[in-house]
Amino acid sequence: MQLSKDLSEILRRADIVEIARRLGLKLGRNEGGFTRALCPFHEDRDPSLALYSEPGNPHYFCFACGASGGLIDLVEKQRHTTRGEGVRWLAEVVGVDLPKGRVDGDAVDAAGVTRFTDWLDKHNDQALMAAFAHRRGLSVETFASAGARAVDMGRLKPNQLTPGDRSAYERAGVLIRRRDTLVPVVNGPQIVFPLGSYPAAFLFRTAGPDVSGAGKRTRYRFSKGFRKAETLFGLDEARLRISGGGDPDGLFVVEGVMDVLRLRELGMTAVAVLGASVSANQAAQIQAAATSGDKVVPIHLFLDADEAGRRATASAIRALFESEDLAPVDVVEADQPGDPDELLRGLDPISARTQLAAWTYSVLAALTRQ
């Protein structure tokens, strides 16, 4: 559609730093990969909002309160306008002529993401989150650092939504059609993680006790239309730590969200590829993150210790070495089955680092072991 092309051109031309200045945000220093600003979504005294000037994907993320979104989200919230009005204002600023009439359809699909995020905030169940965090052996603060909310998706009743919200939620992928009836993509208690920045998606992890013998794939669902090959969970946090002076532990690459949170609670930096494969796009983002600071940090491939994980490791090594940026790469392979979350549970930071060092091999040694 023409509006989709126009929106892409708006985002390609827009400079989020200049737009933020026009919106009245107080800018801070440039960190290399992003520019800091005082966050308008909480009482911010030390600039904690990161403005990313990624071509075609300008977005923001607050490392204090977790607020995140695309450039149009920022315009809509700061100007207190509708989505369409925000798009039109941006178009005028960057010099893109839009067709007359309402701006909706494909051009405002992200409105559903914003509305659903508001619904999550309204129904966030702190007791459910605390219980889940306790079972997983993690702190509530670690989940909060990832923007996670705990909700009962059974409370999302399509027939109780306005027609506009139903349409927006469907475009955001959180409502799907089954036999011409709109239903939530998942039901029951869930831990919901935001994924990406613009456009955004959601990962749903069942918040109930794990059922013995159940496969991991039954525990997780993504919002409809999610593009896994283009997304790394935890990337913004990793960039912040690395660009802020490097991370002595390096950048761990893992499969799942819980693996990232386990390493984060232990004081380490990690991103998740959200599956048992690493795409060329993800490999390029991983290398770019590892080389984003003044000091290049090593990349540690720490995929699940099973046959699928070993195949994925071999594939990931090839993808990482085909990237333009080249940070050093090694492989972490445990001597027992399990994923990083399970293998490191119960260890303190010092013991975890000692164990990881014992499991670390050079790329050549790791490939030979296979």
Side-chain angles (χ1 to χ4, degrees):
M1 293 180 66
Q2 182 60 43
L3 282 176
S4 296
K5 295 179 181 178
D6 290 336
L7 181 59
S8 296
E9 180 62 16
I10 291 169
L11 296 177
R12 186 187 70 80
R13 295 188 189 186
D15 179 350
I16 192 171
V17 177
E18 177 56 29
I19 298 299
R21 182 182 288 110
R22 284 176 176 251
L23 293 173
L25 272 66
K26 184 176 181 180
L27 301 178
R29 62 185 181 277
N30 185 292
E31 297 279 6
F34 59 88
T35 298
R36 287 184 177 272
L38 286 177
C39 180
F41 307 112
H42 75 284
E43 294 184 3
D44 197 9
R45 297 181 180 179
D46 183 20
S48 56
L49 188 74
L51 302 171
Y52 294 99
S53 301
E54 185 175 332
N57 183 32
H59 58 283
Y60 64 90
F61 179 83
C62 179
F63 294 98
C65 71
S68 65
L71 176 58
I72 296 174
D73 298 302
L74 186 63
V75 171
E76 181 185 13
K77 292 176 180 178
Q78 290 305 105
R79 288 178 59 83
H80 305 288
T81 65
T82 66
R83 201 75 174 178
E85 290 168 346
V87 171
R88 286 202 173 278
W89 180 83
L90 262 180
E92 183 178 344
V93 169
V94 302
V96 173
D97 292 326
L98 292 180
K100 294 181 180 180
R102 293 183 61 195
V103 179
D104 52 17
D106 287 351
V108 293
D109 281 354
V113 170
T114 300
R115 295 187 194 185
F116 182 62
T117 300
D118 291 341
W119 184 88
L120 291 174
D121 289 337
K122 180 180 179 180
H123 295 90
N124 191 20
D125 186 335
Q126 295 183 5
L128 177 62
M129 178 63 80
F132 182 79
H134 178 73
R135 284 202 309 276
R136 301 300 306 186
L138 293 166
S139 68
V140 170
E141 290 74 19
T142 295
F143 281 92
S145 74
R149 284 88 157 178
V151 298
D152 182 355
M153 286 294 290
R155 301 182 67 179
L156 182 59
K157 307 289 187 182
N159 61 352
Q160 296 178 5
L161 299 173
T162 66
D165 278 348
R166 282 198 298 271
S167 177
Y169 284 20
E170 183 179 11
R171 295 199 307 272
V174 296
L175 291 180
I176 58 175
R177 290 194 176 273
R178 289 181 182 164
R179 298 179 181 178
D180 295 326
T181 300
L182 277 178
V183 297
V185 68
V186 292
N187 275 304
Q190 302 285 331
I191 307 300
V192 187
F193 297 89
L195 299 173
S197 299
Y198 187 92
F202 299 95
L203 180 148
F204 300 87
R205 204 284 184 192
T206 179
D210 294 340
V211 178
S212 179
K216 292 180 184 177
R217 293 180 182 177
T218 65
R219 303 176 193 168
Y220 293 92
R221 288 288 300 273
F222 296 101
S223 52
K224 185 179 179 181
F226 168 63
R227 296 187 291 271
K228 184 189 83 67
E230 301 176 11
T231 304
L232 289 171
F233 177 79
L235 180 60
D236 284 336
E237 176 71 17
R239 283 172 172 165
L240 177 69
R241 293 194 62 176
I242 293 169
S243 64
D247 189 318
D249 295 307
L251 176 61
F252 289 87
V253 179
V254 296
E255 293 186 22
V257 168
M258 300 305 298
D259 302 328
V260 170
L261 299 188
R262 178 67 60 192
L263 286 160
R264 188 177 292 182
E265 181 136 313
L266 290 166
M268 291 175 254
T269 304
V271 294
V273 297
L274 302 171
S277 63
V278 180
S279 71
N281 185 298
Q282 290 173 322
Q285 292 183 70
I286 292 166
Q287 283 282 11
T291 57
S292 62
D294 294 335
K295 179 181 178 182
V296 174
V297 302
I299 297 169
H300 310 298
L301 286 172
F302 191 10
L303 306 183
D304 292 3
D306 53 24
E307 187 57 35
R310 284 186 282 273
R311 289 195 300 269
T313 296
S315 176
I317 290 170
R318 290 192 294 271
L320 286 168
F321 280 108
E322 289 173 358
S323 175
E324 292 184 4
D325 300 302
L326 283 180
V329 180
D330 57 38
V331 177
V332 180
E333 184 177 341
D335 54 9
Q336 55 188 297
D339 58 35
D341 174 40
E342 298 164 341
L343 293 166
L344 298 177
R345 182 169 182 170
L347 298 182
D348 60 67
I350 295 176
S351 299
R353 286 174 171 81
T354 300
Q355 184 62 80
L356 288 169
W359 287 339
T360 300
Y361 300 87
S362 68
V363 166
L364 180 60
L367 292 176
T368 302
R369 281 168 56 86
Q370 295 186 31

